[in-house]
Amino acid sequence: MRGPNAGRRLPMVRWYNPVLLLIAGIRAALTTTIGRITDNRELQAALSPIEDDGTYGVFDYSNGHAASDQAGSASAQDGIWLDYVADLGDGYKPTFAVAEAVARECLDHGGAPTQRAKILVMGGDEVYPDPFNNAYEERLMAVYREACEKHGEFEADLFAIPGNHDWYDGLREFSDLFCTGGETYASQQEHTFGAWKTKQDRSYFAIELPGDWWLCGVDVQLDTRLNSSQLRYFEDVARHAMQTGAKVILCAATPNWATSLERPVKDPLLDQIARIFEPQGKSVRLILAGDIHHYSRYQPMDEGPVLITSGGGGAFLHPTHQLAQTTRINWDEQEREYCQEKTFPSASKSHQLTYRNLLFPLLNPEFSLLIGLIYTIMTWFLETRRQLVTNPLDTFMANMVGDYSTIPQALDNFFSAIPKSPEFAALVVGLHIGLLLFNGSGHWLVRHSLAILHSLAHFLALTTAFCLAALMCPMLPLGNVDPLISFAVFFTIVLVAGSLLGGLVFGSFLTLTLNIFGLQYNNAFSSLRIADYKNFMRLHIDRSGTLTVYPFGIERASTSISEPVPIEAPIVID
């Protein structure tokens, strides 16, 4: 086991590492398949049944502190403070920047002092890229313990809901760390979050707050629906524990209103939640979600809950300029209009950051090398079909020098060899299908058109790399060397040139697709691994029952002390 500062030097996850992509894809496929058969949430419900003591499994902070905390009566005079963070544990620097900020005793929000929260809520995806290999300890827990050490002793409670990355091991590690009901074991002393103590025994929970406010955290696994035991839990809470007129803050792992291309957004989770609370006379006033690594707020034009995405707890930045200015969602069997009020970073800054993808070969050399390797294999198929079928290897380079002394000769031989190579054709078709699948969502005509243009751009890059190698080889002193070495030199030039050109094509495609069509928001920014522009929220419920939300942003993440700034004016919800 590593020491308490094990996460200090861990860099941001390199999402375009081909090995990581392969492993993540396999694990996601396995988790999705197994998750349809076995559900850890049902196991949790069986192992931790709700006691028949009239509490219905609710965590009671209605007096400003936990019901079991006799020392918290003073805090009741000022209501209660809560912090919300989501999408943590990607790299040390952004995760520590947020952890250090929420550990401070006081933060200024545009002249309004805010206090360190009694409750910290983690809103999903607590670690990246997955929970394996001691990732929670190294990328999250050690970082939060270090943040506590900088600000002296204090005590706070911790609640968390899982996101899709937490589910990649079937929720095993998440359950061991978060769902222990506050118990700790002598053999797991390092498995703590410092001053923050876990309380829950399931991956979902309901917290009673002052002023008849409630905070409900739901677990949607890899889907967008609640399972049967979770539905039963929240229906019992709504029917028996909540008073008529109760106001609900919902914490969900995904903001479908920000990602769905459908208008209005048809979200099974929101439909389930509305059916649970609204007919009972309880209203959902605020929905908080992570998963998308930026801050955005959508305000209802008439009635409905405020929608806030705040996934800036420590993962790479997502853009904001692709977001719709207005949207509609189906809520409580009605279509509600919403308007975008604020984003962090701004749409203009997000648009500018996208152009960093023009440096894709430098930012993602592993993936660019993979593209270059594909180009090399395609070239090898062509040349071996054209020459080595009839010519021995020792005459290969002599033919290359004679055949490719000019660009027209190189192009003529290149294109004449294509019909002779079924392997080349198979790779071209496979590449196009891969690019089509990579485009993901959007109108079919747009997706197919982009895939065709992207394929043509790669074909042009391949042709350029081929011609460059063909023209360079006659200039090199290869006449008296072993033919195998000459063969290797030619394809090494194709590999290097193809990696640079192919990476540039890929980065340009990401830039244009996002900035023009508003697509590829995840792929275009995971390539950049931007640690800055983090965010979190501080919530306060005062004695009168008014909820005030203070959104904080961190423009430049630091490994020492970062400076949180107000993203926008406080949001008041009665």
Side-chain angles (χ1 to χ4, degrees):
M1 186 70 66
R2 299 190 183 184
N5 294 329
R8 176 180 294 277
R9 299 302 175 189
L10 287 180
M12 304 286 285
V13 175
R14 302 188 70 85
W15 293 100
Y16 276 84
N17 183 312
V19 176
L20 173 64
L21 287 173
L22 177 62
I23 294 174
I26 293 174
R27 286 175 175 169
L30 288 174
T31 303
T32 302
T33 302
I34 296 174
R36 296 180 186 275
I37 303 172
T38 61
D39 192 333
N40 198 295
R41 297 173 296 183
E42 298 294 342
L43 180 61
Q44 289 175 358
L47 295 177
S48 301
I50 302 298
E51 296 184 10
D52 187 15
D53 57 1
T55 64
Y56 299 98
V58 169
F59 296 91
D60 186 2
Y61 291 79
S62 58
N63 291 323
H65 57 90
S68 59
D69 182 5
Q70 301 302 319
S73 58
S75 65
Q77 299 177 4
D78 190 40
I80 193 169
W81 291 87
L82 306 90
D83 282 339
Y84 176 90
V85 298
D87 299 276
L88 313 91
D90 186 340
Y92 170 81
K93 184 167 70 170
T95 302
F96 177 79
V98 174
E100 188 277 327
V102 299
R104 296 187 202 179
E105 185 174 2
C106 184
L107 287 175
D108 181 78
H109 190 279
T114 68
Q115 298 179 19
R116 182 166 52 209
K118 174 60 181 175
I119 301 174
L120 172 62
V121 178
M122 293 184 175
D125 286 341
E126 276 76 53
V127 71
Y128 289 91
D130 53 49
F132 297 96
N133 301 319
N134 208 30
Y136 278 113
E137 167 63 26
E138 295 186 340
R139 291 187 172 272
L140 178 66
M141 304 172 78
V143 182
Y144 269 71
R145 288 198 300 269
E146 184 179 346
C148 290
E149 293 170 2
K150 286 186 172 292
H151 296 284
E153 295 185 2
F154 64 94
E155 292 186 2
D157 296 336
L158 172 63
F159 292 86
I161 59 172
N164 59 308
H165 289 268
D166 301 294
W167 266 99
Y168 283 169
D169 68 341
L171 210 65
R172 182 177 62 86
E173 288 292 331
F174 180 95
S175 298
D176 287 346
L177 297 176
F178 294 96
C179 303
T180 61
E183 295 184 23
T184 57
Y185 304 96
S187 61
Q188 293 181 313
Q189 286 304 306
E190 288 193 23
H191 285 317
T192 65
F193 294 82
W196 292 282
K197 309 301 182 184
T198 58
K199 293 290 184 180
Q200 68 203 77
D201 51 17
R202 299 186 183 189
S203 58
Y204 49 91
F205 51 84
I207 302 173
E208 185 177 5
L209 300 169
D212 212 11
W213 280 95
W214 291 73
L215 188 145
C216 296
V218 299
D219 177 7
V220 296
Q221 200 203 42
L222 299 173
D223 200 353
T224 55
R225 294 177 177 85
L226 306 185
N227 61 310
S228 58
S229 61
Q230 194 172 179
L231 280 172
R232 190 180 311 114
Y233 170 77
F234 285 111
E235 286 175 354
D236 286 344
V237 169
R239 183 176 296 110
H240 303 296
M242 292 181 177
Q243 299 293 325
T244 301
K247 298 161 287 187
V248 178
I249 304 168
L250 176 70
C251 293
T254 57
N256 285 348
W257 62 83
T259 57
S260 175
L261 297 178
E262 294 183 1
R263 298 291 183 268
V265 176
K266 298 178 180 179
D267 188 333
L269 172 63
L270 297 185
D271 181 64
Q272 284 183 318
I273 293 298
R275 291 175 183 271
I276 290 173
F277 293 111
E278 301 294 337
Q280 300 291 332
K282 292 82 180 179
S283 60
V284 179
R285 300 291 184 87
L286 172 64
I287 301 179
L288 305 177
D291 193 56
I292 311 300
H293 312 159
H294 61 221
Y295 174 89
S296 64
R297 176 169 65 91
Y298 282 83
Q299 198 74 16
M301 295 183 181
D302 187 11
E303 293 183 349
V306 178
L307 310 176
I308 296 181
T309 304
S310 179
F316 67 88
L317 177 69
H318 272 140
T320 59
H321 63 283
Q322 86 288 355
L323 293 174
Q325 293 298 312
T326 60
T327 188
R328 291 173 294 156
I329 67 170
N330 287 324
W331 178 258
D332 192 22
E333 300 182 351
Q334 296 184 40
E335 192 173 295
R336 306 295 176 92
E337 297 282 342
Y338 279 80
C339 179
Q340 182 197 114
E341 293 292 335
K342 186 66 178 182
T343 65
F344 179 79
S346 66
S348 59
K349 172 57 68 174
S350 172
H351 188 275
Q352 294 172 12
L353 292 171
T354 310
Y355 286 102
R356 293 187 184 183
N357 272 302
L358 298 180
L359 300 175
F360 188 93
L362 301 179
L363 296 173
N364 303 278
E366 308 98 328
F367 194 82
S368 298
L369 186 63
L370 175 63
I371 297 175
L373 182 61
I374 294 173
Y375 287 5
T376 304
I377 294 173
M378 296 173 78
T379 303
W380 181 71
F381 283 154
L382 285 181
E383 282 305 296
T384 52
R385 275 288 180 177
R386 193 180 74 85
Q387 288 201 67
L388 295 184
V389 171
T390 56
N391 298 326
L393 180 62
D394 57 2
T395 62
F396 178 83
M397 288 310 300
N399 290 337
M400 294 291 294
V401 172
D403 292 347
Y404 298 149
S405 57
T406 65
I407 290 180
Q409 289 176 320
L411 290 174
D412 180 64
N413 283 290
F414 179 81
F415 286 106
S416 65
I418 291 177
K420 304 175 183 178
S421 176
E423 304 93 340
F424 179 88
L427 271 180
V428 169
V429 172
L431 178 64
H432 178 74
I433 292 174
L435 295 176
L436 179 60
L437 295 175
F438 181 76
N439 285 336
S441 57
H443 191 276
W444 68 269
L445 180 59
V446 174
R447 291 192 295 115
H448 282 271
S449 300
L450 288 175
I452 291 173
L453 292 175
H454 198 178
S455 299
L456 290 175
H458 279 294
F459 187 80
L460 177 61
L462 167 62
T463 306
T464 304
F466 179 89
C467 290
L468 182 63
L471 294 177
M472 286 185 65
C473 280
M475 303 178 187
L476 301 175
L478 301 175
N480 299 321
V481 300
D482 187 279
L484 188 59
I485 296 177
S486 301
F487 189 85
V489 169
F490 174 81
F491 285 103
T492 298
I493 296 174
V494 174
L495 176 64
V496 174
S499 298
L500 293 173
L501 293 172
L504 181 60
V505 166
F506 199 87
S508 300
F509 167 79
L510 292 176
T511 302
L512 296 176
T513 304
L514 178 57
N515 282 354
I516 294 178
F517 297 98
L519 303 175
Q520 298 287 2
Y521 74 92
N522 184 58
N523 295 321
F525 267 61
S526 61
S527 62
L528 302 178
R529 304 189 303 279
I530 298 174
D532 299 322
Y533 301 100
K534 301 301 100 184
N535 65 79
F536 63 96
M537 286 185 294
R538 181 154 287 180
L539 291 75
H540 180 232
I541 300 174
D542 63 20
R543 287 177 295 175
S544 66
T546 298
L547 170 65
T548 305
V549 182
Y550 299 89
F552 281 97
I554 299 175
E555 294 184 350
R556 293 291 180 267
S558 172
T559 57
S560 55
I561 301 295
S562 300
E563 291 302 325
V565 297
I567 293 178
E568 60 176 326
I571 305 156
V572 179
I573 305 175
D574 295 321

